[in-house]
């Protein structure tokens, strides 16, 4: 009898199962509340109070109430545009559409190709520049799946220069995930997590920039040392120029617009405290400006730009729906208001009580460990944020851990383990391109993964002791 290969359920399936468990829990668990001042971020366990006599939730609710069958719709329309579900979903779709246009123009890809071509002549700069560039791509716009395409391009070049398949994956995919894990402005990960945690989007950037520098340097040293150890010297190796040597005028204009737009976003967040509505409009303007340039230079037609926007938004629609479904789960548990009776408050109380004897900084590290393990089941950054942040953010309040640290634990736990877990579609795609078996890759990368986890643990401890906000 043949064994069927196990396939990891989609994040939406996991969330539906969680929704069913939440509904059952609402029938079995007595809800509770915390008698804490409104808007308080310091909630004591002693303020918890069980509330008896609350009516059980129906399977199908009427009059706009929450029930098991209403979980998706009610989660979708919950809150307002300022960081609640509907606002986060709109932000995801608009930003996805804008980046769809930018990627469709090919300017970013051509820019990377041009850099690759130039640095081949300065071989000692080739790997460091590529690694930093891909890490920056992961940090700025969540580059991940795109590494698969660059593995196709870079593999023959790496072999030509005397490097192996592992160097190709390290320089592309691993670099993007280090950037992804330490990003200060990734709209598809940190923006969602911080929105759900109800803290300003892209706040705490300085500490994350420091983390990006340290982790990128650490990863670069590992990659360069390994590349040197495997480099094959061959006197008859001849470099072939297979890539375009220069960027077109349109590419340069779009790249300049992209860099200027990112600068505008950073300025808006730091100087004007722009939030989700303004950020969405900024990214929309960035996508629109790129489309206009592409049309003027005949790179794309107006219909091509419209199609790219729709495709970019469509690609992120599952992530947006996950946010809605996750919010619906929270509603099934009674909502996340600490002052209102809910099953979630009861779960938070008992979770916090079970580790009450553990020092707070150990609890913060435990969140990192939890997110790292949970990433095996939900490797999508936006999906993991949607599932875990509604629970972890208020739990951090109970344990005197700032929500900024809770988001940091999510980021590091989610991003860094993507270079190891076999459930990451992007990793498996890259390994397939370079014809590298996952078992061989795991045997090679596990020590580096543990080293990254140790470094992440150090950053969590530092964040706690400096009261990172």
């Amino acid at each position: 009898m043949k064994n069927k290969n196990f396939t990891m359920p989609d994040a939406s399936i996991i969330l539906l199962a969680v929704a069913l468990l939440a509904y059952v829990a609402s029938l079995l668990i007595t809800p509770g509340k915390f008698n804490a001042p409104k808007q308080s971020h310091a909630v004591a366990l002693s303020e918890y109070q069980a509330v008896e006599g609350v009516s059980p939730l129906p399977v199908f609710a009427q009059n706009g109430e929450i029930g098991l069958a209403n979980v998706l719709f009610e989660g979708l329309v919950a809150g307002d545009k300022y960081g609640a579900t509907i606002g986060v979903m709109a932000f995801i779709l608009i930003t996805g559409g804008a980046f769809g246009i930018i990627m469709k123009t090919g300017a970013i890809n051509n820019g990377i190709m041009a850099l690759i071509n130039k640095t081949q002549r300065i071989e000692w700069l080739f790997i460091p520049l590529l690694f930093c560039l891909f890490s920056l791509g992961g940090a700025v716009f969540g580059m991940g799946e795109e590494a698969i395409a660059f593995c196709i391009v870079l593999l023959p070049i790496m072999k030509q220069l005397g490097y192996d398949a592992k160097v190709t994956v390290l320089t592309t995919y691993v670099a993007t995930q280090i950037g992804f894990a330490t990003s200060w402005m990734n709209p598809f990960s940190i923006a969602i997590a911080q929105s759900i945690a109800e803290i300003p989007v892209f706040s705490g950037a300085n500490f994350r920039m420091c983390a990006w520098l340290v982790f990128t340097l650490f990863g670069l040293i590992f990659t360069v040392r390994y590349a040197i150890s495997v480099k094959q010297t061959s006197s008859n190796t001849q470099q072939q120029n297979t890539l375009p040597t220069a960027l077109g005028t349109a590419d340069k204009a779009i790249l300049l617009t992209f860099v200027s737009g990112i600068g505008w976003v950073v300025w808006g967040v730091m100087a004007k405290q722009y939030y989700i509505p303004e950020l969405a409009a900024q990214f929309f303007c960035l996508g629109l400006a790129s489309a206009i340039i592409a049309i003027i230079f005949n790179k794309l037609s107006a219909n091509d730009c419209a199609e790219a926007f729709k495709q970019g938004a469509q690609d992120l629609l599952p992530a947006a729906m996950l946010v809605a479904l996750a919010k619906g789960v929270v509603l099934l548990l009674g909502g996340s208001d600490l002052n209102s009776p809910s099953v979630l408050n009861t779960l938070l109380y008992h979770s916090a009580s079970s580790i009450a004897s553990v020092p707070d900084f150990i609890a913060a590290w435990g969140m990192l460990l939890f997110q790292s393990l949970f990433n095996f089941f939900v490797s999508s950054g936006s999906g993991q944020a949607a599932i875990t942040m509604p629970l972890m953010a208020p739990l951090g309040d109970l344990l005197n851990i700032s929500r900024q640290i809770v988001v940091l634990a999510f980021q590091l736990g989610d991003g860094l383990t993507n270079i190891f877990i076999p459930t990451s579609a992007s990793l498996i795609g890259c390994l397939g391109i370079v014809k590298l078996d996952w078992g061989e890759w795991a045997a090679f990368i596990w020590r580096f993964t543990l080293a990254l986890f140790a470094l992440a643990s150090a950053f969590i401890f530092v964040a706690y002791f400096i009261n990172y906000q």
Side-chain angles (χ1 to χ4, degrees):
M1 184 176 178
K2 291 184 178 179
N3 291 326
K4 293 184 178 180
N5 293 329
F6 174 74
T7 302
M8 187 61 61
D10 186 80
S12 60
I13 302 299
I14 294 175
L15 268 177
L16 284 173
V18 172
L20 180 59
L21 289 175
Y23 176 75
V24 172
S26 72
L27 302 177
L28 301 177
I29 299 175
T30 302
K33 65 177 182 177
F34 290 88
N35 297 313
K38 290 283 186 180
Q39 309 301 325
S40 174
H41 292 290
V43 182
L45 292 177
S46 59
E47 295 173 322
Y48 173 79
Q49 173 189 348
V51 180
E52 302 288 348
V54 177
S55 300
L57 294 178
V59 174
F60 182 89
Q62 304 178 60
N63 302 318
E65 298 297 324
I66 183 67
L68 181 60
N70 313 81
V71 61
L72 182 57
F73 180 82
E74 294 300 328
L76 174 64
V77 300
D80 56 32
K81 65 181 180 180
Y82 293 100
T85 307
I86 193 66
V88 174
M89 287 187 64
F91 174 78
I92 291 172
L93 296 178
I94 292 172
T95 305
F99 274 99
I101 295 174
I102 295 168
M103 299 307 294
K104 181 71 173 179
T105 66
I108 290 180
N109 285 2
N110 291 341
I112 294 176
M113 296 298 189
L115 180 64
I116 289 172
N117 187 58
K118 289 181 182 297
T119 55
Q120 282 187 83
R121 300 186 181 91
I122 316 172
E123 193 173 319
W124 64 274
L125 274 178
F126 183 62
I127 289 179
L129 278 179
L130 280 183
F131 192 96
C132 292
L133 182 67
F134 279 104
S135 179
L136 192 62
V140 173
F141 57 91
M143 192 176 187
E145 292 84 356
E146 296 84 356
I148 297 175
F150 286 105
C151 282
I152 298 174
V153 175
L154 282 173
L155 180 61
I157 298 173
M158 289 293 188
K159 287 186 174 180
Q160 191 179 38
L161 295 175
Y163 305 117
D164 64 4
K166 296 187 184 74
V167 176
T168 305
V169 179
L170 284 169
T171 307
T172 54
Y173 180 70
V174 171
T176 65
Q177 295 312 291
I178 286 177
F180 190 93
T182 55
S183 172
W184 59 94
M185 62 171 299
N186 179 357
F188 309 128
S189 175
I190 183 175
I192 296 174
Q194 289 184 322
S195 298
I196 296 173
E198 299 178 344
I199 57 178
V201 174
F202 301 152
S203 59
N206 291 339
F207 187 82
R208 287 182 172 87
M209 287 180 182
C210 292
W212 178 79
L213 287 171
V214 172
F215 276 86
T216 299
L217 179 61
F218 185 77
L220 178 59
I221 292 173
F222 175 83
T223 300
V224 169
R225 289 185 62 183
Y226 176 74
I228 292 173
S229 72
V230 300
K231 182 171 176 59
Q232 303 164 358
T233 54
S234 176
S235 58
N236 59 0
T237 297
Q238 200 170 12
Q239 293 185 12
Q240 297 177 359
N241 216 358
T242 59
L243 300 173
T245 57
L247 292 171
T249 303
D251 292 330
K252 292 178 180 177
I254 292 171
L255 288 173
L256 180 61
T257 301
F258 178 77
V259 172
S260 301
I262 295 301
W264 182 33
V265 170
V266 173
W267 173 82
V269 170
M270 301 188 72
K272 295 293 185 178
Q273 288 74 52
Y274 284 172
Y275 201 49
I276 281 182
E278 294 84 5
L279 293 175
Q282 285 180 304
F283 281 113
F284 179 73
C285 290
L286 180 56
L288 189 61
S290 300
I292 292 172
I293 295 172
I295 293 170
I296 291 175
F297 286 93
N298 294 319
K299 285 181 71 71
L300 299 174
S301 67
N303 284 344
D304 289 335
C305 294
E307 189 61 34
F309 184 90
K310 289 188 290 185
Q311 185 61 48
Q314 179 180 318
D315 290 343
L316 288 181
L317 181 59
M321 297 302 289
L322 285 176
V323 172
L325 194 53
K327 181 62 177 179
V329 171
V330 175
L331 294 177
L332 284 175
L333 293 173
S336 56
D337 184 2
L338 294 175
N339 299 102
S340 300
S342 71
V343 173
L344 183 60
N345 284 337
T346 301
L347 295 175
L348 288 172
Y349 169 74
H350 289 292
S351 297
S353 297
S354 65
I355 56 174
S357 59
V358 177
D360 294 343
F361 70 94
I362 298 296
W365 177 82
M367 290 185 175
L368 170 66
L369 179 62
F370 167 78
Q371 296 285 8
S372 300
L373 296 175
F374 191 81
N375 195 43
F376 178 87
F377 302 99
V378 182
S379 59
S380 163
S382 55
Q384 186 170 342
I387 293 172
T388 62
M389 292 310 298
L391 179 64
M392 301 304 285
L395 182 59
D397 294 341
L398 292 177
L399 299 174
N400 296 316
I401 300 169
S402 76
R403 294 196 173 198
Q404 200 70 261
I405 296 176
V406 174
V407 173
L408 181 66
F410 151 74
Q411 268 189 281
L412 295 174
D414 164 52
L416 298 177
T417 49
N418 281 333
I419 69 174
F420 180 82
I421 57 173
T423 51
S424 169
S426 300
L427 172 61
I428 297 303
C430 288
L431 295 180
I433 291 298
V434 302
K435 295 180 173 57
L436 193 61
D437 181 70
W438 180 81
E440 183 181 352
W441 172 255
F444 163 74
I445 204 67
W446 71 268
R447 293 180 183 85
F448 179 61
T449 305
L450 286 180
L452 287 176
F453 181 80
L455 188 58
S457 300
F459 266 86
I460 290 294
F461 290 140
V462 170
Y464 176 83
F465 286 114
I466 67 172
N467 193 26
Y468 179 44
Q469 297 288 341

